[in-house]
Amino acid sequence: MEKTNVIAHFMGFPGKLKDKVMEIVKKTMKIGKDDPRKIWHAAKVGLALSLVSLFYYFRPLYDGFGQSAIWAVLTVVVVFEFTAGATLSKCLNRGFATLLAGALGIGAKYFADLFGKEGEPIVLGFLVFTLGAVGTFTRFFPHMKRKYDYGILIFVLTFSLVTVSGYRVDEILELAHQRLTTILVGAATCMIISLVVCPVWAGEDLHKLVCGNLDKLATFLEGFGSEYFSFSEIEESGKASKEDKGFLQAYKIVLNSKATEETLANFAWWEPGHGSFRLRHPWKQYLKIGVLARECACHLQALTSYFNSNPQAPTEFHKRIEEACTRMSMESSKALKQLASSIKTMTQPPSSAAENHLKNSKTAIDDFKAILATTKTPLLSNKLDLLEIFPAITVASILIDVINCVERISEAVEELSVKAHFKKVKNKESSPSPEKQPQQQLLHRGIVKPVVDDVEGGDDSVVIEICGGTVAAAAEVNSPGGTKGEAQKDRV
């Protein structure tokens, strides 16, 4: 029986291997299709490795550098990253750290020679301990860890290697020169290829990430506003479909984007000016917008718990606040979409549409407060259970917090547009001519009120209020008695 199982296992092995290979091929094709830049990155790394390998393949180069040529290959493998900013960060950190540590290592070697053969290892050991401890402790500083952590690590490593190996090697200057040269060559090769051949900019990825996060928040609010307050009606009609509520998951990506944003902002700081992004682009402002976006996403997370539960508010109260709350949700969604579009296109419109949507949402807040003010007395008189209306009131309260958060996001985007010198879009709407403007104002400010005055003869008149005055238009109407009344004169 066991023999049969073993034979069956080996007989089915080719089929399983084929299925596994096909699965790997499909995953590979999907990764390449989702982001073709990853294919280019792999090709760029291969090109850089091929170029630095020439130090071994060509005899003249190998004679000049010897076994130290391997440091160029190691440098390419270690420092070549996906984005240009990450590659530049590692290359510059490694280059300067190697140069400084090499110089200090050589200086430490000659300084230890002054203490003779017996005192030299003691002095070298003390220097290695001191600089190693100080360098390691420096990595705990937030600013140093964020930008120079890799450089400090390479500094400690290079200083220790040069100092320790120099104790047994007589030609330490030549050794340090060869290693430093090959490392710099490898780093320079990576930087040139990363910047010239299909560069991937960390700043551009950060820019798109922030825009996408605002769009995701807007998508949630748009779906929530049109679904929550009609949930009970849909439930009764049997048309509710929880599978169509994909917008509820949109905010979760925003909550988990902090680490990615900070990493991209750090790498973008190292990048040169490119495209619409200048040399000193305000990348920190993107982090500020990201913090506010995550704060808004936290409020949206609180809303999901109320969406998944059936609202228990009285039907009358639920319908009364439905319009105001839906407007709050929809207008804040439109404001976020406008802000995301402004960042994406890097434009600064003369009169932001986001401000208009925020004003509309604040008007909806005032309407909601007015509804609450008129609802208090009936509730108390009818002795309704206040716990039944708390969920709906809580949802409205969270929406108010969301609007306040969107307002702060709008201010942060406005600050970004100023610091980043976004282009101003000219208002294409032509202003009305001076001749037509008074007439238009007159038409808008006039109010027509049909009234019936109890005057002799029962004459009807039409009263028109203009700028606080009253004009009775002349009109000939039938009196109740069947005779025609005379038209009244204009009254101002």
Side-chain angles (χ1 to χ4, degrees):
M1 200 66 182
E2 293 181 358
K3 267 188 176 182
T4 305
N5 293 335
V6 172
I7 294 174
H9 177 74
F10 278 103
M11 291 294 291
F13 179 76
K16 292 181 180 180
L17 180 62
K18 181 181 178 181
D19 294 339
K20 192 66 177 178
V21 171
M22 292 301 297
E23 182 182 355
I24 295 174
V25 170
K26 289 180 181 179
K27 288 183 179 179
T28 304
M29 294 178 63
K30 184 179 182 302
I31 293 173
K33 187 177 180 180
D34 291 343
D35 193 353
R37 300 179 302 173
K38 295 178 180 179
I39 300 176
W40 280 104
H41 173 68
K44 289 189 291 185
V45 174
L47 176 61
L49 288 172
S50 299
L51 291 177
V52 296
S53 298
L54 297 177
F55 285 97
Y56 267 85
Y57 297 153
F58 286 93
R59 192 69 187 182
L61 292 176
Y62 181 79
D63 293 338
F65 294 95
Q67 294 292 333
S68 296
I70 195 65
W71 285 96
V73 178
L74 294 176
T75 300
V76 171
V77 175
V78 171
V79 304
F80 211 131
E81 295 290 340
F82 180 66
T83 61
T87 303
L88 290 173
S89 173
K90 279 197 168 184
C91 287
L92 295 176
N93 270 283
R94 187 179 182 88
F96 285 112
T98 302
L99 181 62
L100 179 61
L104 290 178
I106 294 173
K109 165 65 177 174
Y110 285 105
F111 176 74
D113 286 341
L114 300 177
F115 295 89
K117 290 293 183 181
E118 295 182 357
E120 181 180 0
I122 299 176
V123 174
L124 290 177
F126 175 77
L127 293 176
V128 169
F129 169 81
T130 303
L131 287 180
V134 172
T136 302
F137 185 79
T138 305
R139 297 176 64 189
F140 291 108
F141 289 90
H143 179 73
M144 301 297 292
K145 184 174 184 62
R146 185 169 59 253
K147 292 185 177 180
Y148 309 108
D149 183 71
Y150 181 71
I152 297 173
L153 177 65
I154 295 300
F155 171 82
V156 174
L157 174 64
T158 304
F159 178 80
S160 301
L161 289 177
V162 172
T163 304
V164 174
S165 61
Y167 180 71
R168 298 295 182 183
V169 178
D170 295 332
E171 299 177 353
I172 186 174
L173 281 176
E174 183 179 355
L175 177 64
H177 175 265
Q178 289 177 349
R179 290 186 179 180
L180 177 62
T181 304
T182 53
I183 290 174
L184 294 179
V185 169
T189 303
C190 293
M191 287 191 294
I192 293 173
I193 293 177
S194 180
L195 294 174
V196 174
V197 182
C198 297
V200 178
W201 303 107
E204 187 175 347
D205 287 351
L206 175 62
H207 185 84
K208 293 179 180 178
L209 178 61
V210 172
C211 294
N213 286 344
L214 294 184
D215 276 329
K216 290 179 178 63
L217 298 179
T219 300
F220 180 96
L221 288 170
E222 183 179 10
F224 184 86
S226 60
E227 293 288 340
Y228 174 75
F229 287 95
S230 59
F231 184 83
S232 57
E233 298 177 3
I234 296 176
E235 189 79 1
E236 292 173 1
S237 61
K239 297 180 180 179
S241 176
K242 294 183 179 180
E243 297 178 358
D244 298 335
K245 306 301 185 292
F247 66 89
L248 290 174
Q249 309 299 325
Y251 73 93
K252 292 184 178 180
I253 300 177
V254 182
L255 288 175
N256 300 324
S257 64
K258 179 180 179 181
T260 304
E261 289 177 2
E262 291 180 349
T263 302
L264 290 175
N266 179 34
F267 293 150
W269 183 81
W270 293 90
E271 293 176 347
H274 55 280
S276 301
F277 305 99
R278 303 189 179 187
L279 181 60
R280 297 184 63 84
H281 196 74
W283 301 114
K284 289 184 178 180
Q285 192 65 24
Y286 288 91
L287 297 180
K288 182 178 179 180
I289 297 175
V291 171
L292 294 174
R294 284 187 292 276
E295 181 181 344
C296 185
C298 290
H299 294 308
L300 302 187
Q301 188 177 28
L303 287 175
T304 56
S305 59
Y306 292 95
F307 187 90
N308 294 328
S309 60
N310 294 333
Q312 300 297 326
T315 304
E316 181 182 356
F317 178 78
H318 192 265
K319 289 182 177 180
R320 290 184 66 183
I321 67 172
E322 177 180 354
E323 182 182 355
C325 291
T326 302
R327 273 194 296 149
M328 282 191 279
S329 181
M330 297 301 293
E331 292 296 334
S332 56
S333 171
K334 293 176 182 178
L336 285 171
K337 286 186 176 181
Q338 185 65 32
L339 294 173
S341 176
S342 178
I343 298 176
K344 184 177 181 180
T345 58
M346 300 188 73
T347 56
Q348 183 181 5
S351 57
S352 177
E355 295 181 2
N356 297 330
H357 293 304
L358 286 173
K359 289 179 181 178
N360 295 337
S361 61
K362 290 180 180 179
T363 303
I365 293 176
D366 295 336
D367 294 343
F368 171 74
K369 292 179 179 178
I371 292 172
L372 284 183
T374 58
T375 308
K376 287 180 181 178
T377 304
L379 285 176
L380 293 176
S381 61
N382 295 331
K383 298 181 180 181
L384 295 177
D385 188 3
L386 294 179
L387 294 177
E388 294 181 356
I389 68 170
F390 275 171
I393 294 178
T394 305
V395 168
S397 177
I398 296 175
L399 286 175
I400 294 175
D401 293 336
V402 170
I403 292 172
N404 294 333
C405 192
V406 173
E407 187 174 8
R408 294 199 298 273
I409 293 176
S410 178
E411 294 174 358
V413 173
E414 181 68 21
E415 186 178 354
L416 172 65
S417 66
V418 174
K419 291 182 178 181
H421 305 286
F422 283 1
K423 297 179 182 179
K424 292 185 178 181
V425 179
K426 296 181 180 179
N427 192 3
K428 296 182 180 180
E429 298 179 358
S430 58
S431 57
S433 60
E435 298 179 356
K436 297 182 179 180
Q437 191 171 359
Q439 183 179 0
Q440 292 176 352
Q441 292 179 352
L442 181 61
L443 292 175
H444 282 291
R445 296 176 65 180
I447 302 175
V448 180
K449 294 183 178 180
V451 299
V452 178
D453 293 337
D454 293 333
V455 295
E456 294 181 359
D459 294 337
D460 294 341
S461 63
V462 178
V463 180
I464 304 175
E465 292 183 0
I466 301 179
C467 302
T470 305
V471 176
E476 188 173 352
V477 295
N478 292 329
S479 63
T483 60
K484 292 185 179 180
E486 295 181 357
Q488 296 183 359
K489 296 182 179 179
D490 294 349
R491 299 177 297 173
V492 179

